[in-house]
Each structure stands twice: as C-alpha cells, then as structure tokens.
Amino acid sequence: MRTKRRSDTQVVCGRRALLDELGISEGSRRLSSERPDNGCGCAECSAAQWNTQRLQHWLTGRLTAAGAEEATVDATVKGINVDVFWRKGNRRCVIELHSAALDITAARAHRERLEAAGITDVLWICPAGYWVPLVPAVGIADFAPTGLDYRIEQGMVAPGEFDFAAPITDNTELRTFLDGWVAGDIEWAQLDMTNGGWAHVGTWERHTSAQAAMIEHQRRELRDQRVELAVARQAVRDKQKTVSRLHNRIDRAGVNADADAITMAGVRSELLAQQRIAMGLRATVARMDRAINQWQWLTCCAMLLVLTVVVGAIVTR
C-alpha cells in the first residue's frame, strides 16, 4: 500500500485517483483530466459502471420476485437521487450502491435526509470494510461475479453465545437476503453503541431477550450491591459514632488527667514542704541531742567534782 503521491505519479482515471487519495495503489498512473465524477470513460471505469448498472437492474428483478410492488432504478425521492427504490405496502425503501470505501458521515447524512423524506429503510451495498457495521450496509465479495451469484461476506449477524447476536463470516447469498428483507423477516439493528448488522427477526428477538435477561441480572446485582453498600455505610456510620464516643471519652479522660496532674503537683509541692520541715526538725532534734549530751557530761563532771571535794573534806577531818 502506498500512502504518498509523487510529482511524477501517473493516474489513468478518476477512479484510480480516488484509490490513490485513499492510499491504495494499482500500479502506474498518470494525471486525469478535470471531471465532476470518478470515471473518465476508460475501459476499467466503463466496466465498473456497467457492473454497477447490472447489479441495479438485477436488484429490481429480485425485489419484484421477492414481493415488492414497485422497484425502480435511478429514482428520485423528493428531490433526492437514489440508485434503487422499491415499495411494498406502506414500506418505502432505498438501496444505494457504492463500489469504493464508504464515507460514514456522508452516508449517515444521506440516510437522515431519506428518512425525513419518508423512506423506511436504507440499504448500502458496498465492498467489505470497517464502514459496514457502522451503517445499514452489506459488504459483497464481488460486484462482477460469474453467473450473477452475489454473495454477502460482511454485515450479517446470527445468534452466538448465550443467544447474543454476533457478526458472522459465512457467505450469504444476496438473493436470500433480499427475499427476507422484502418479506420483513430480516431487519437491521444495533449490536452495541456503534456497530449493527442484519439478521432475522427471530435472531433479534433472542438477542433482545438475552439482553433483557442480562439487564435483569445486572439490575439484581446492582440492587444487591446497593444493599451491601447501604449495610457497609451503616456499619461505617456506627463505627464513626463509636470512634466519636471514644474520642469524647479520651478528651474527658485527658481533662481529668490534667486536673489530677495539677492536684498531684500541688500534693508533691506540699510533700516537698513537709519534707523540708521534717529535715529542719531533724536537724533541731540532732542539735538538741548534742546539747543534752553535752549538759549530761557537764553534770556528771560537776557531780564528780563535788563528790571529790566532799570525800576530800571527810578524809581531811
């Protein structure tokens, strides 16, 4: 795949110029003349246009055979040109053919204009690619098959795991798809927020039932989770209340501890004062003991002296 254009790149026709702009190379190219469309009248463009016109007329024949009351090629719906228009009862549908990559924005805008004009369904027939699931389209394998055996290789869905619809890769005949579409047995619907596909009504019913069951299961899970969340929140609130009460108790205990500390400090000061008084009294008692001992020694000495004098006096007589 080539993604750049050189100044000497040659383009054979407008169709190849479009492929070159998309980054798809088909070999040697030369610049094309100014044309309003993507065709230039060369053999390849003429063949592509012929294949598209052949498919258009084949579609009108198959739609009429499938039960359509009217099928017209290159019709106009309230001023909007369409490739194929068909009608059955109150249903008015359009088929648009596109042999190249589909512009999603333009396709959606075109579909909105057609729906505003009263068109029930719009079907895009185009090559397979990322654009097919984004719009009501089917991707066919070849616009010029042998024997007009057009086969769909992208865009169809079928029941998958747990009855959920899923895209299928098996080739489906375009004629079979048209028969079911005209009969109302095949409808296009969304698989998810962005992708969609074509499937039988029964497939969509099973898909819807599976989605409803999944939604109900998710709703029950959500309800259970909400109950668990409410219980957890209540437990958290209870714990918060318990913690708040404990904080209050701790605060009160701290106040009481501060008061007790102040009281203990006063008692300790009084105790120290009493200890100082006791030490002073002990010192006083010790001094008094020493004084008493001294007086006792003096008294003893005085008595011995007096006794000695008396004995001496007696002996002298």
Side-chain angles (χ1 to χ4, degrees), residues 37-161:
D37 55 6
N38 292 323
C40 68
C42 67
E44 293 181 357
C45 286
S46 298
Q49 294 173 1
W50 163 247
N51 293 332
T52 302
Q53 293 175 359
R54 181 178 64 170
L55 178 56
Q56 289 178 352
H57 291 282
W58 181 86
L59 288 172
T60 57
R62 289 307 311 169
L63 291 170
T64 303
E69 300 175 2
E70 178 186 356
T72 307
V73 175
D74 295 331
T76 302
V77 180
K78 293 185 178 181
I80 303 174
N81 297 326
V82 297
D83 292 335
V84 178
F85 169 82
W86 66 271
R87 178 182 58 83
K88 181 181 180 181
N90 295 328
R91 294 181 63 192
R92 302 170 70 245
C93 304
V94 166
I95 300 177
E96 295 286 5
L97 304 180
H98 206 284
S99 59
L102 192 61
D103 186 346
I104 303 301
T105 303
R108 289 174 176 172
H110 185 63
R111 180 189 177 192
E112 291 177 357
R113 290 193 299 269
L114 290 174
E115 290 178 347
I119 297 300
T120 306
D121 291 327
V122 179
L123 169 65
W124 292 87
I125 298 179
C126 56
Y130 73 90
W131 50 83
V132 173
L134 303 179
V135 293
V138 291
I140 61 176
D142 190 3
F143 276 80
T146 58
L148 296 178
D149 187 17
Y150 298 99
R151 303 193 68 83
I152 299 174
E153 63 178 8
Q154 188 181 10
M156 301 296 295
V157 299
E161 188 177 6

Side-chain angles (χ1 to χ4, degrees), residues 40-314:
C40 68
C42 67
E44 293 181 357
C45 286
S46 298
Q49 294 173 1
W50 163 247
N51 293 332
T52 302
Q53 293 175 359
R54 181 178 64 170
L55 178 56
Q56 289 178 352
H57 291 282
W58 181 86
L59 288 172
T60 57
R62 289 307 311 169
L63 291 170
T64 303
E69 300 175 2
E70 178 186 356
T72 307
V73 175
D74 295 331
T76 302
V77 180
K78 293 185 178 181
I80 303 174
N81 297 326
V82 297
D83 292 335
V84 178
F85 169 82
W86 66 271
R87 178 182 58 83
K88 181 181 180 181
N90 295 328
R91 294 181 63 192
R92 302 170 70 245
C93 304
V94 166
I95 300 177
E96 295 286 5
L97 304 180
H98 206 284
S99 59
L102 192 61
D103 186 346
I104 303 301
T105 303
R108 289 174 176 172
H110 185 63
R111 180 189 177 192
E112 291 177 357
R113 290 193 299 269
L114 290 174
E115 290 178 347
I119 297 300
T120 306
D121 291 327
V122 179
L123 169 65
W124 292 87
I125 298 179
C126 56
Y130 73 90
W131 50 83
V132 173
L134 303 179
V135 293
V138 291
I140 61 176
D142 190 3
F143 276 80
T146 58
L148 296 178
D149 187 17
Y150 298 99
R151 303 193 68 83
I152 299 174
E153 63 178 8
Q154 188 181 10
M156 301 296 295
V157 299
E161 188 177 6
F162 304 113
D163 289 338
F164 286 102
I168 58 175
T169 57
D170 296 338
N171 289 338
T172 304
E173 289 189 2
L174 183 58
R175 68 180 68 242
T176 304
F177 168 80
L178 293 175
D179 293 340
W181 186 36
V182 174
D185 295 334
I186 295 179
E187 296 289 343
W188 187 87
Q190 294 284 152
L191 284 172
D192 49 35
M193 296 298 295
T194 56
N195 299 323
W198 296 88
H200 290 278
V201 175
T203 299
W204 291 124
E205 290 177 351
R206 295 169 61 182
H207 180 73
T208 304
S209 299
Q211 284 184 330
M214 182 182 65
I215 292 172
E216 181 62 26
H217 177 67
Q218 292 177 345
R219 184 181 292 111
R220 288 196 299 268
E221 288 185 347
L222 181 60
R223 184 179 61 248
D224 296 340
Q225 290 176 357
R226 285 179 176 174
V227 172
E228 293 178 359
L229 180 60
V231 173
R233 285 179 175 175
Q234 184 62 38
V236 170
R237 285 194 293 268
D238 294 340
K239 290 181 180 179
Q240 288 178 344
K241 292 179 181 178
T242 303
V243 171
S244 179
R245 288 195 297 268
L246 291 175
H247 279 300
N248 293 332
R249 291 179 181 177
I250 291 173
D251 293 338
R252 290 195 299 269
V255 172
N256 296 332
D258 292 339
D260 293 339
I262 293 172
T263 303
M264 291 296 296
V267 172
R268 187 178 295 109
S269 299
E270 293 180 359
L271 181 60
L272 291 175
Q274 294 294 332
Q275 288 178 352
R276 287 194 295 272
I277 293 171
M279 291 175 63
L281 292 175
R282 288 195 188 95
T284 302
V285 170
R287 288 194 299 272
M288 291 177 67
D289 287 338
R290 287 195 297 274
I292 291 171
N293 290 331
Q294 292 175 358
W295 282 108
Q296 285 179 351
W297 282 104
L298 290 174
T299 303
C300 290
C301 291
M303 290 179 64
L304 289 175
L305 181 60
V306 171
L307 182 61
T308 301
V309 172
V310 171
V311 172
I314 295 173

